[in-house]
Amino acid sequence: MAEKSFVIASRIQLEKNDFSASKDTVVRPRRETRGNEPRNEREALISALRRSAEEWVSEDWTAVAKAINERVHELGWRQRELAERSRVSQAIVRELQHHTVERRRSTRTLESLSVTLGWHPHHLDAVLHGRRPPEPNDPVTDQDDTLWSRLDSLEQRLDEITERLDDLKIGLSTVIKNVKPGG
């Protein structure tokens, strides 16, 4: 069944409030969707970008800069000293302290600065995401341990699958030999 087409204006003359339609543009009716599902790939991409932008906005780099600056002042350090002690480049320390460049930083960078400043390794990450920073003596929960254990189990499962495929290959070649005429 052919889709119905509707003619809409290709030009709207706002000065005259003329919203009449011209025959230049044909627009097909929108496909209905259920709920908030994207209608097409482009819309899905825009939706994903919007979500990542919202996540990015929730990061408070100004609070990170303020926390670093206050602590450096308390300790009586200079920027260069913080950079040397934390083994983070002075350019990155400067960007963080002055909040000149807003971009994602490595978790290791924030951890190194946190530890150097006498805080819990996840202190600056907590500040960044608006959470209460852990106390310096709180236990460190390493999210990477969970990741590594999951990767190890996946690797083990892949090895099992590979063994099964090898067994199937051998079994299949035996069947093929026996089925061939004159085999």
Side-chain angles (χ1 to χ4, degrees):
M1 182 171 147
E3 288 183 343
K4 291 182 181 179
S5 298
F6 298 96
V7 179
I8 63 166
S10 63
R11 292 164 93 193
I12 297 174
Q13 298 173 345
L14 292 175
E15 297 119 19
K16 297 179 183 178
N17 290 327
D18 180 10
F19 299 103
S20 61
S22 75
K23 295 180 182 176
D24 296 90
T25 307
V26 174
V27 175
R28 290 182 175 76
R30 287 183 162 182
R31 178 176 70 96
E32 288 191 31
T33 62
R34 294 182 204 139
N36 293 332
E37 295 174 3
R39 283 187 279 276
N40 55 40
E41 289 179 33
R42 182 175 181 271
E43 197 170 300
L45 177 61
I46 290 170
S47 178
L49 290 173
R50 187 176 300 121
R51 276 193 310 275
S52 72
E54 288 167 358
E55 291 168 6
W56 187 71
V57 169
S58 69
E59 295 179 339
D60 191 355
W61 289 102
T62 304
V64 170
K66 182 179 177 187
I68 292 172
N69 288 330
E70 287 176 358
R71 185 67 175 152
V72 166
H73 181 72
E74 285 173 19
L75 296 170
W77 292 354
R78 296 192 175 272
Q79 192 179 80
R80 171 177 275 178
E81 191 171 355
L82 175 59
E84 287 172 357
R85 288 177 183 232
S86 64
R87 297 181 186 254
V88 172
S89 79
Q90 190 170 353
I92 291 174
V93 170
R94 182 182 315 108
E95 289 174 3
L96 287 170
Q97 279 190 291
H98 296 291
H99 190 224
T100 54
V101 178
E102 194 164 296
R103 63 176 164 219
R104 290 182 187 252
R105 301 291 176 176
S106 162
T107 307
R108 290 179 301 214
T109 299
L110 295 178
E111 286 178 359
S112 180
L113 289 168
S114 293
V115 170
T116 302
L117 292 168
W119 290 327
H120 188 277
H122 296 198
H123 185 95
L124 287 174
D125 186 63
V127 169
L128 176 65
H129 293 99
R131 296 187 309 261
R132 185 185 68 77
E135 295 298 320
N137 56 355
D138 284 352
V140 177
T141 56
D142 192 1
Q143 295 163 344
D144 289 340
D145 284 345
T146 306
L147 179 63
W148 286 114
S149 66
R150 290 182 69 194
L151 285 173
D152 287 342
S153 66
L154 284 172
E155 188 175 25
Q156 183 179 4
R157 184 73 178 130
L158 282 173
D159 288 341
E160 292 170 6
I161 292 170
T162 303
E163 284 180 32
R164 283 185 177 178
L165 286 173
D166 288 342
D167 292 344
L168 285 171
K169 184 179 175 182
I170 292 168
L172 188 58
S173 63
T174 304
V175 169
I176 291 173
K177 266 189 207 177
N178 293 331
V179 172
K180 278 187 181 178

